[in-house]
Amino acid sequence: MNEHKPLTHSAPTFAPKLDSIDASWNVAKTELGKKSFAIRNIAPNTLMASFHLKTPVLLRDDAICDALELNHLSNEVYVKLASCIHHVGGALLATVENLASVPLREMPVMIAPIGGHSMPSVESILSADAIELQLGDWSRSDTDSSVHTSLRSLRVDWPVDAPDLLRLAKKMELIRCLSNYRVPVGVAIPIGDISEAGLACWRWLSEIDIDFVTIRSPFCCLGSRHQARAYFDCDPIELTRLMKELLDRSGKKPIAIVIDHPWTDGFQAGHAILAGASLVGVGSFLASLMPSNFELPSTHSADSLASGLLGRSSIQSSSLATPSVAYFVKKLDLNSSLTLFTEQVQATLEYAL
Amino acid sequence: MNTPESLSLDARTLSARQINDTLSTLQASISTIEIENCSAPDLLAAGFNVNCRVSMKGNLGDYCLCSISNAEMEVHGRAGCGLGESMESGSIVVHGDTGDATGAFNRGGFIAVYGNTGRRTATGMCGGDIVVKGSIGAQGAFAMTDGALLVFGAAGAMLGHRMTGGTIYIRGEVESITSHIEASRLRESDRLRIGLLLLKAGLTGDAKDFRVLKAVGS
């Protein structure tokens, strides 16, 4: 059984310096031999590095180690490769369990453990590559999963049940202050949350000073699949309008959209992508579907996704099995209204197949 | 005039960020700092970790003295929300009222508030002690996991909601408690602890006047 792993996905970056990476990049590319890479500039302030090795690997420390073993890469090459990733702006890590949009500030990266829901220590903040406020109910017992010690970012949960724009803004400023104004601070929010609190999140984002936004699982705030479907059927237009309004008002904030819920099906994903497509051209955009394995999706799931994209009824497919957006975009004949989105993603996720 | 052992800063002429920058580059010889004329600046002394005594005169804004360690801080005035949040060690004494989330997420240290505090005092606290001479607002000790909250006055609704550890000592009325906490017998160890907390806060009281509330099953 081929132990495929999810492909990497990219994320927003900060002040990429393309010309500074040429030398080390070429070395790494040469030494990696037959392995191919594609780096595309997808937006003025966002670069994405897509790595397609024979065995897809996650660009995480442990996965890179796997790749090193598989490909007998020297540590020197690894460092150069990591350096490239860093300078390009961070092709990023992604699994269902660990999704993040993390610009790599330094390599190797110090990963600071976080205990409970408390604010990270000052030392942890100073050593972080990015700090991501996760808007959610931090006091729920199941939100422990949102605090990943393996990520290169710190996450600070913000109580979404106590919406207060001013205090959130101050909290952001506090984190900036504690990080000596050096660590990028962003916010992760669920895309599909059109509850009162969820809408408040969007309104916050258009007001506060942030470096990046991660739009997390569209459905993570929901209790059940059926709720999610009703949720999106309820008012996707309102959701899209809010997102667009946000980006129009927040300028060119880097945006990463991550769809990561394990029971994401095609229809729901299609809706999410549809909503995300409205962002293309407004700000940096990335959409990824990162389910738990990398088996090719069935036609059934693909049809379901197409239905979702086209706004039709769901075919009630089973859970979508770990596709990448690129795969779908290449395989599906999408509605012309999504042409722009399609071109963007195709240009972005150019795999060296 | 400043001596090598003391430093005086005027908040009328310096922004909070300028003061923080000054505090972050302190000389090792300085043991006492006075910050005067504070007019509710936000984020003052956030992350301060020098072992010295800091006195602040005037009112503080939100998220002041967050994530501090080692230092002994005294505030001669009121403070806004998030005072002393995520404190690691050291002490904070406030002579006035404080806003919401005082001492939230503390991992250690000691906070004494001689006035009242707002909602969610000691939220998520996982260490350290907080003494409030006045009353606390609703949802006190919300999701608290460790440490002690001692309240002379009353407490608002939903005291101890989702509390899984730590201890509440309270003398006044409680508007409502949640099912997550229960009354406990005042043990000798509680008497000693209350005595120590009062001593540290510079307050007087009788331990037997306090009720003990702990997380269910703890």
Side-chain angles (χ1 to χ4, degrees):
Chain A
M1 180 72 182
N2 192 0
E3 294 182 358
H4 284 304
K5 298 176 181 179
L7 287 176
T8 59
H9 81 286
S10 183
T13 64
F14 304 89
K17 299 174 181 176
L18 266 181
D19 50 353
S20 65
I21 67 148
D22 287 347
S24 57
W25 177 255
N26 288 333
V27 170
K29 188 175 178 182
T30 302
E31 293 194 31
L32 286 168
K34 296 178 181 178
K35 313 299 179 256
S36 54
F37 305 87
I39 304 176
R40 307 293 293 185
N41 189 348
I42 62 172
N45 56 353
T46 299
L47 288 172
M48 173 175 166
S50 291
F51 290 74
H52 187 80
L53 308 182
K54 283 183 178 177
T55 301
V57 295
L58 291 176
L59 295 179
R60 295 169 51 198
D61 286 347
D62 54 348
I64 286 179
C65 288
D66 291 342
L68 289 173
E69 290 175 6
L70 287 171
N71 300 293
H72 305 290
L73 299 180
S74 67
N75 187 56
E76 184 183 6
V77 173
Y78 161 69
V79 172
K80 287 174 180 173
L81 177 61
S83 177
C84 291
I85 297 167
H86 162 48
H87 284 296
V88 167
L92 294 178
L93 55 156
T95 67
V96 173
E97 297 78 21
N98 294 339
L99 281 164
S101 58
V102 187
L104 307 184
R105 183 162 52 88
E106 294 174 359
M107 294 292 283
V109 177
M110 292 295 293
I111 301 172
I114 307 171
H117 299 292
S118 60
M119 277 273 290
S121 67
V122 176
E123 292 74 19
S124 300
I125 288 175
L126 287 171
S127 65
D129 298 290
I131 299 171
E132 182 180 82
L133 267 73
Q134 176 154 326
L135 300 177
D137 184 358
W138 57 271
S139 63
R140 283 167 49 191
S141 59
D142 59 356
T143 52
D144 279 339
S145 60
S146 69
V147 185
H148 300 295
T149 57
S150 60
L151 296 183
R152 294 185 177 97
S153 68
L154 299 179
R155 294 199 180 163
V156 182
D157 287 342
W158 179 260
V160 74
D161 58 337
D164 184 333
L165 171 63
L166 182 61
R167 286 181 61 189
L168 178 63
K170 287 183 177 177
K171 190 83 170 190
M172 300 287 281
E173 185 64 19
L174 169 64
I175 294 171
R176 288 188 190 283
C177 176
L178 294 175
S179 67
N180 291 334
Y181 299 88
R182 288 204 302 259
V183 181
V185 181
V187 173
I189 64 169
I191 193 176
D193 192 344
I194 54 173
S195 64
E196 186 175 345
L199 293 178
C201 292
W202 283 105
R203 296 190 188 100
W204 287 344
L205 292 181
S206 64
E207 301 286 345
I208 59 178
D209 179 24
I210 48 179
D211 295 318
F212 64 93
V213 177
T214 302
I215 302 171
R216 200 155 294 282
S217 167
F219 324 111
C220 66
C221 55
L222 300 175
S224 77
R225 183 176 187 170
H226 298 293
Q227 279 179 306
R229 182 162 291 119
Y231 203 73
F232 270 108
D233 286 344
C234 177
D235 198 356
I237 296 173
E238 170 69 4
L239 172 65
T240 305
R241 187 189 66 76
L242 282 169
M243 293 171 67
K244 190 167 180 57
E245 180 182 294
L246 158 71
L247 291 184
D248 286 343
R249 295 173 65 180
S250 61
K252 300 292 184 183
K253 298 291 185 192
I255 302 289
I257 294 181
V258 177
I259 304 167
D260 66 334
H261 201 284
W263 42 258
T264 293
D265 75 0
F267 181 73
Q268 295 162 344
H271 264 314
I273 293 173
L274 190 63
S278 68
L279 307 178
V280 176
V282 181
S284 307
F285 173 71
L286 170 70
S288 297
L289 296 174
M290 288 293 173
S292 56
N293 57 61
F294 195 66
E295 294 174 5
L296 294 179
S298 67
T299 303
H300 190 57
S301 296
D303 290 342
S304 178
L305 176 64
S307 299
L309 285 169
L310 300 176
R312 295 200 298 263
S313 300
S314 172
I315 301 178
Q316 302 291 329
S317 73
S318 56
S319 292
L320 188 64
T322 65
S324 73
V325 168
Y327 176 83
F328 279 106
V329 170
K330 293 179 76 169
K331 287 290 183 184
L332 297 175
D333 181 19
L334 301 176
N335 188 297
S336 58
S337 64
L338 293 173
T339 300
L340 177 61
F341 170 65
T342 305
E343 290 175 351
Q344 286 276 344
V345 176
Q346 280 180 329
T348 301
L349 303 176
E350 181 181 302
Y351 293 155
L353 295 173
Chain B
M1 181 175 176
N2 296 334
T3 67
E5 291 76 29
S6 67
L7 174 68
S8 181
L9 301 171
D10 191 341
R12 277 184 308 195
T13 58
L14 295 170
S15 67
R17 186 166 177 175
Q18 287 172 317
I19 293 174
N20 289 346
D21 289 343
T22 304
L23 295 178
S24 65
T25 56
L26 276 183
Q27 296 176 10
S29 59
I30 292 178
S31 59
T32 305
I33 301 170
E34 285 194 2
I35 304 175
E36 298 180 323
N37 302 309
C38 294
S39 54
D42 294 331
L43 311 175
L44 195 64
F48 186 65
N49 63 355
V50 179
N51 186 6
C52 68
R53 186 185 297 265
V54 182
S55 175
M56 303 176 175
K57 293 177 180 173
N59 299 325
L60 304 185
D62 294 335
Y63 295 112
C64 291
L65 318 186
C66 286
S67 298
I68 68 163
S69 53
N70 301 317
E72 296 178 32
M73 321 288 278
E74 188 168 13
V75 181
H76 297 274
R78 300 187 302 272
C81 297
L83 177 89
E85 183 177 311
S86 299
M87 182 178 177
E88 302 267 356
S89 62
S91 67
I92 298 173
V93 175
V94 184
H95 290 267
D97 297 336
T98 62
D100 295 344
T102 298
F105 305 113
N106 277 9
R107 287 183 279 265
F110 175 78
I111 296 177
V113 179
Y114 291 164
N116 303 312
T117 63
R119 296 178 307 150
R120 295 195 174 189
T121 300
T123 283
M125 192 166 81
C126 46
D129 302 307
I130 297 178
V131 173
V132 181
K133 188 177 181 181
S135 299
I136 64 173
Q139 294 184 314
F142 183 61
M144 179 175 164
T145 60
D146 203 354
L149 170 63
L150 186 148
V151 184
F152 272 73
M158 296 179 69
L159 180 67
H161 186 52
R162 293 178 179 172
M163 180 172 157
T164 57
T167 308
I168 300 172
Y169 302 110
I170 186 161
R171 196 170 71 171
E173 295 296 317
V174 178
E175 188 173 334
S176 68
I177 65 171
T178 65
S179 58
H180 301 113
I181 60 173
E182 61 187 359
S184 179
R185 186 167 62 87
L186 184 71
R187 301 172 187 272
E188 189 57 31
S189 59
D190 293 314
R191 290 176 185 272
L192 288 172
R193 194 171 187 186
I194 291 172
L196 285 172
L197 290 172
L198 295 177
L199 191 64
K200 287 173 73 174
L203 300 172
T204 57
D206 194 336
K208 66 178 174 42
D209 294 335
F210 289 87
R211 284 174 291 151
V212 183
L213 299 171
K214 295 186 177 181
V216 172
S218 66

